């Protein structure tokens, strides 16, 4: 969450049956990474580096 904007996370679900049990499953969730914070941080770092060397 940057600047009070909520980002909806997209999830990938993988449902696997549990061996040795009847009608039981395990749910594995993989979150999609939110790159907006890292891109913002990289831009700020690049601006600081350019300002430092000029």
């Amino acid at each position: 969450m940057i600047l009070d904007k909520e980002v909806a996370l997209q999830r990938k679900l993988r449902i696997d049956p549990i061996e040795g049990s009847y009608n039981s499953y395990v749910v594995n969730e993989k979150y999609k990474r939110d790159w907006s914070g890292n891109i913002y941080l990289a831009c700020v770092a690049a601006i600081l580096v350019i300002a430092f060397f000029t």
Side-chain angles (χ1 to χ4, degrees):
M1 205 158 70
I2 296 177
L3 301 175
D4 295 331
K5 292 181 182 177
E6 188 172 337
V7 177
L9 294 176
Q10 296 179 359
R11 299 185 293 175
K12 290 185 177 182
L13 298 177
R14 194 174 93 198
I15 300 172
D16 297 325
I18 298 174
E19 292 182 27
S21 65
Y22 177 73
N23 215 13
S24 296
Y25 300 92
V26 64
V27 177
N28 293 324
E29 293 184 275
K30 293 184 178 180
Y31 288 98
K32 215 175 182 183
R33 191 170 174 114
D34 179 23
W35 289 98
S36 62
N38 291 343
I39 293 171
Y40 177 74
L41 182 63
C43 290
V44 170
I47 291 170
L48 290 175
V49 167
I50 291 170
F52 181 75
F53 287 113
T54 56

